[in-house]
Amino acid sequence: MSNNKLSLAVVILTYNEEKHIARAIQSVQSFASQIFVIDSGSKDKTVEIAQENGAEVIQHPFINYAKQLQWALDNAPITAQWVMRLDADEIIEADLAQEIHQTLPVLPFDTVGVCLKLKRIFMDKWIRHGGLYPLTLLRIWRYGQGRIEDRWMDEHIILSAGNTITLNGSFADHNLNDLTFFTDKHNKYATREAIDVLNQKYHLFPREKEVVDTRSTSTQAAIKRKVKEKIYNRMPFALSTFLYFLWRYIFRLGFLDGLPGLVYHFLQGYWYRFLVGAKIMELEKAINGMTDKQQILEEISRLTGHKLTDK
């Protein structure tokens, strides 16, 4: 691989990511000309480690992932032609790094987005069944051509125009924390997703227009969202969660991922989805009888701890 850097800026959001941040930065150092770490007040050594590894660290208060990333795109001193979104616990693998380095400089001007294939590593095992691999996600785009959806969960990059391609190499989601961290994180995710589902149902605040094409992340991810919102979310959650786990673990061969796979598919594919449904039920009970949107938002804000209003 050439030692020349690409005109590409990597943006990484962090909060207490000292276990992961050096690994993430080092996985893109061979090709990225700029690396920005947008930190939201880490209390560990995240900032120090990021700076030691050559990243520019910018502090900004965190509301949710979408608002934080969009703030970074609007305010970080990005001078590169391309931008990459990377989570702190993700790694660009060597084959993908080489492919990015070789492909980006020769792309035609009307190609504005690049989708990458995500692999999940859980308990040090690649979870490759259950319909989880490959999941293609739009993670690289021409600067100024993409924005992040303003959602509380499952936010995608939307491109203003142009075509996308998908590279063959993979990047890995490999979090090194324990199951307590995993379940706590997914408990918080469940609250955020419940907010999005209630917004979809009651139109509480502005929401992105649905787009299912190659300009809304990947076609695969966009279609999966459409199925979830148009079919899955309209079923009783006790039934939908069971059917989803059955589909994923049995019919999509999740059982082939062994014991770590059973833990992952059960927790992420059943427990988490059941928890989302239960939280929606709890919140709907709390706002039952309310008709004023402002009052509903204030009550959901009070119950979830997320500020959904300006008051």
Side-chain angles (χ1 to χ4, degrees):
M1 183 185 298
S2 169
N3 291 324
N4 296 328
K5 304 283 187 177
L6 300 174
S7 182
L8 182 145
V10 177
V11 177
I12 308 172
L13 308 187
T14 58
Y15 178 73
N16 291 344
E17 292 286 358
E18 65 180 7
K19 286 185 178 181
H20 302 116
I21 189 60
R23 187 186 65 178
I25 292 172
Q26 290 165 11
S27 76
V28 299
Q29 279 179 330
S30 64
F31 59 83
S33 57
Q34 295 181 290
I35 303 173
F36 296 101
V37 167
I38 312 301
D39 188 72
S40 51
S42 290
K43 297 176 175 59
D44 61 5
K45 296 182 179 179
T46 297
V47 171
E48 177 184 342
I49 295 171
Q51 291 173 333
E52 288 174 352
N53 281 272
E56 180 174 346
V57 179
I58 305 173
Q59 293 286 347
H60 187 259
F62 187 87
I63 298 176
N64 60 37
Y65 193 103
K67 292 185 185 300
Q68 189 79 334
L69 181 58
Q70 190 59 53
W71 183 90
L73 297 177
D74 293 338
N75 293 277
I78 297 172
T79 58
Q81 297 176 3
W82 295 89
V83 182
M84 170 186 282
R85 165 188 176 182
L86 187 71
D87 290 347
D89 59 357
E90 294 174 345
I91 314 159
I92 301 297
E93 297 185 339
D95 60 334
L96 178 58
Q98 182 173 2
E99 192 177 6
I100 290 171
H101 201 283
Q102 293 173 344
T103 303
L104 233 57
V106 299
L107 289 178
F109 190 73
D110 62 351
T111 298
V112 298
V114 180
C115 295
L116 310 179
K117 296 178 180 179
L118 173 68
K119 62 167 64 170
R120 291 176 175 84
I121 311 296
F122 181 77
M123 292 184 166
D124 295 323
K125 179 179 177 59
W126 177 9
I127 308 299
R128 59 191 306 170
H129 300 97
L132 297 185
Y133 184 83
L135 173 61
T136 57
L137 299 170
L138 196 153
R139 287 303 191 94
I140 302 174
W141 63 95
R142 291 190 188 272
Y143 180 55
Q145 295 292 317
R147 61 183 176 83
I148 187 76
E149 294 175 292
D150 189 7
R151 296 171 60 105
W152 282 84
M153 194 67 188
D154 192 30
E155 61 286 317
H156 294 167
I157 291 292
I158 292 183
L159 302 176
S160 57
N163 302 315
T164 64
I165 65 165
T166 299
L167 299 184
N168 293 318
S170 298
F171 72 109
D173 175 350
H174 187 183
N175 194 289
L176 300 174
N177 289 300
D178 59 16
L179 279 176
T180 299
F181 178 91
F182 179 91
T183 52
D184 180 62
K185 178 177 73 172
H186 280 77
N187 179 42
K188 294 173 182 175
Y189 282 175
T191 300
R192 289 162 48 188
E193 185 162 346
I195 291 171
D196 259 344
V197 172
L198 290 177
N199 185 39
Q200 176 194 7
K201 186 172 181 179
Y202 297 107
H203 309 288
L204 299 175
F205 44 84
R207 192 165 175 269
E208 296 287 347
K209 182 180 179 182
E210 293 180 11
V211 180
V212 183
D213 62 20
T214 54
R215 291 180 297 162
S216 176
T217 188
S218 69
T219 302
Q220 177 197 25
I223 291 175
K224 283 182 66 176
R225 175 194 286 176
K226 195 171 186 69
V227 170
K228 183 172 74 172
E229 295 186 348
K230 297 297 185 181
I231 300 174
Y232 179 92
N233 286 347
R234 298 183 180 185
M235 298 172 64
F237 76 89
L239 176 62
S240 60
T241 52
F242 174 74
L243 292 178
Y244 176 63
F245 175 72
L246 190 68
W247 168 253
R248 184 162 140 176
Y249 193 69
I250 302 299
F251 293 97
R252 298 304 302 273
L253 307 181
F255 62 87
L256 293 178
D257 289 316
L259 189 56
L262 174 60
V263 175
Y264 184 81
H265 291 299
F266 182 83
L267 288 179
Q268 202 273 339
Y270 182 76
W271 171 79
Y272 168 68
R273 300 248 53 92
F274 195 94
L275 185 60
V276 172
K279 291 198 175 202
I280 293 168
M281 180 179 69
E282 180 182 52
L283 292 172
E284 285 194 308
K285 182 179 179 181
I287 63 174
N288 185 42
M290 296 181 184
T291 57
D292 181 72
K293 287 187 179 181
Q294 184 66 28
Q295 182 185 13
I296 293 173
L297 286 171
E298 289 174 1
E299 180 64 6
I300 295 176
S301 296
R302 184 184 71 81
L303 292 170
T304 63
H306 291 297
K307 187 176 180 182
L308 306 179
T309 71
D310 294 330
K311 292 186 178 182

